[in-house]
Amino acid sequence: MEETLEFAEKAHAGKPQLPLALRLIRNTGVLKRHIVQPIEKTLRHPGLTERNRIYEAESKKWTPPVIEEALKNADVSARDIDAIIYVSCTGFMMPSLTAWLINKMGFRPDTRQIPIAQLGCAAGGAAVNRAHDFCLAHPASNVLIVSCELCSLCYQPDADDIGSLLSDGLFGDAVAAAVVRGNGGVGIELERNASYLIPHTEDWISYAVKDTGFHFQLDRRVPGTMEPLAPVLREFAKDHSWDIGSLDFYIVHAGGPRILDDLAKFLDVDRQVFRHSWATLTEYGNIASAVVFDAARRLFEEAAPAAGATGLIAGFGPGITAEMALGSWSADGPQPLD
């Protein structure tokens, strides 16, 4: 955080909006972030071609070891995976990285490829939901989810509006992976999922695609979106005969401190129930679609919930879109794969 503030003061010295931006950055609660390049390189713009080359090189560098760990944790091999969902909104490749992963890591040639590129921070929740749908449609299947968000490669040195400056102090880089097993395993047993788009808010979070790449655009109304979304989450849980305020765990996208504080307020829960999301925000910043997977990791590493404990997974992003899932903790352990 100290480095962020120092660089911001140097890069935007004399700008009238700088004092407000610095105050907003200090209030994010982010103490540390990780980026794939040294900060000096990150602050320069070598052009879209070079940035996308870096995105491809770094994604190929960092995803395999993370995937290997996820497969090991799920007690499956690459040959057991029936579909790969790849989520990223910070670079572009065609074919998707899924093709390279299949060739590189020994996945079967008939593995389905499901890239998700334009849901931003909501894509983590969307990936969980689409994996759930796939396993329901294809019983006993296993789905690998890979999230690669290199947000620092979208930094625009000339963008000095409040939204851009705030995002420069909020977003971090991360790679995450998770496996949704069709049967067996330890973790969150998915039971229900849903999507919701707040009408007429599609321009609140967006990219302006220019010669210099992706320019992140953030409307000042975005932090207030939990007020209309909280009733949606409440009704979603009610339809499953659960009380949204009485669940045992919450895996929620950490878009910023107000998002988490407002959600706690409008769901009438203690902000501590979002402790895993708060920890992700503090230690890594907003890591886009990877947030829900890091928060879930923290749940796994904490004292295990009791069997049957109920919980929510929720991702929020452009649209404004909410991707929601309900599940209960399963501690049965791995079962033989079909």
Side-chain angles (χ1 to χ4, degrees):
M1 174 58 69
E2 291 77 9
E3 287 180 277
T4 297
L5 295 170
E6 180 183 342
F7 281 115
E9 288 177 334
K10 290 180 180 178
H12 301 284
K15 301 291 178 63
Q17 64 273 36
L18 180 60
L20 173 58
L22 295 178
R23 186 167 77 250
L24 291 173
I25 292 172
R26 290 189 185 97
N27 291 337
T28 60
V30 178
L31 298 183
K32 181 179 66 174
R33 293 176 292 162
H34 297 75
I35 53 179
V36 293
Q37 298 182 103
I39 185 68
E40 293 78 11
K41 286 187 176 181
T42 300
L43 293 177
R44 294 195 295 267
H45 198 324
L48 179 58
T49 300
E50 176 62 11
R51 277 197 169 174
N52 211 61
R53 185 199 66 78
I54 295 170
Y55 171 85
E56 180 174 348
E58 295 295 331
S59 62
K60 289 179 177 179
K61 174 182 177 181
W62 292 107
T63 54
V66 175
I67 290 169
E68 288 172 357
E69 185 175 353
L71 294 174
K72 180 180 178 182
N73 288 340
D75 197 33
V76 298
S77 71
R79 304 293 295 181
D80 298 319
I81 296 298
D82 301 287
I84 302 174
I85 300 177
Y86 178 74
V87 293
S88 180
C89 63
T90 54
F92 183 79
M93 294 173 60
M94 192 173 74
S96 165
L97 189 73
T98 50
W100 181 85
L101 291 171
I102 289 170
N103 289 321
K104 177 71 175 180
M105 299 192 65
F107 296 99
R108 303 193 317 268
D110 64 348
T111 303
R112 273 77 154 197
Q113 302 175 64
I114 310 174
I116 301 176
Q118 293 159 300
L119 280 177
C121 297
V128 172
N129 292 349
R130 299 297 78 78
H132 184 204
D133 293 341
F134 187 92
C135 289
L136 291 175
H138 305 277
S141 293
N142 301 291
V143 180
L144 171 69
I145 300 171
V146 184
S147 166
C148 180
E149 301 291 13
L150 307 184
C151 302
S152 65
L153 297 179
C154 297
Y155 172 70
Q156 299 294 341
D158 296 331
D160 57 6
D161 59 280
I162 290 295
S164 295
L165 293 176
L166 175 59
S167 67
D168 293 343
L170 181 63
F171 286 93
D173 295 352
V175 176
V179 173
V180 176
R181 287 181 50 135
N183 57 43
V186 174
I188 303 168
E189 184 172 351
L190 300 169
E191 299 182 23
R192 187 186 189 96
N193 73 67
S195 302
Y196 183 81
L197 184 143
I198 302 177
H200 310 300
T201 58
E202 70 270 16
D203 58 344
W204 288 19
I205 301 175
S206 62
Y207 274 162
V209 182
K210 303 181 180 180
D211 292 341
T212 47
F214 301 144
H215 290 246
F216 184 68
Q217 300 178 136
L218 183 69
D219 190 281
R220 59 184 177 84
R221 292 170 288 184
V222 169
T225 50
M226 291 304 101
E227 185 171 5
L229 283 180
V232 175
L233 291 168
R234 190 179 302 279
E235 193 66 24
F236 172 56
K238 183 180 178 182
D239 288 344
H240 200 56
S241 300
W242 289 0
D243 177 5
I244 194 67
S246 302
L247 303 180
D248 300 300
F249 58 87
Y250 298 80
I251 305 301
V252 174
H253 175 66
R258 184 175 168 188
I259 295 293
L260 295 175
D261 279 334
D262 275 8
L263 194 58
K265 173 185 174 182
F266 294 118
L267 292 183
D268 194 23
V269 297
D270 191 298
R271 71 196 299 271
Q272 177 63 15
V273 303
F274 302 137
R275 61 190 176 279
H276 304 306
S277 301
W278 280 112
T280 298
L281 183 64
T282 299
E283 297 174 21
Y284 297 131
N286 182 340
I287 48 176
S289 65
V291 168
V292 292
F293 304 112
D294 185 69
R297 174 184 66 84
R298 296 172 190 275
L299 174 68
F300 272 80
E301 293 177 353
E302 195 178 57
T310 58
L312 167 76
I313 302 172
F316 312 117
I320 299 291
T321 301
E323 289 282 344
M324 308 159 281
L326 295 171
S328 55
W329 189 262
S330 175
D332 291 340
Q335 298 174 7
L337 296 171
D338 188 340

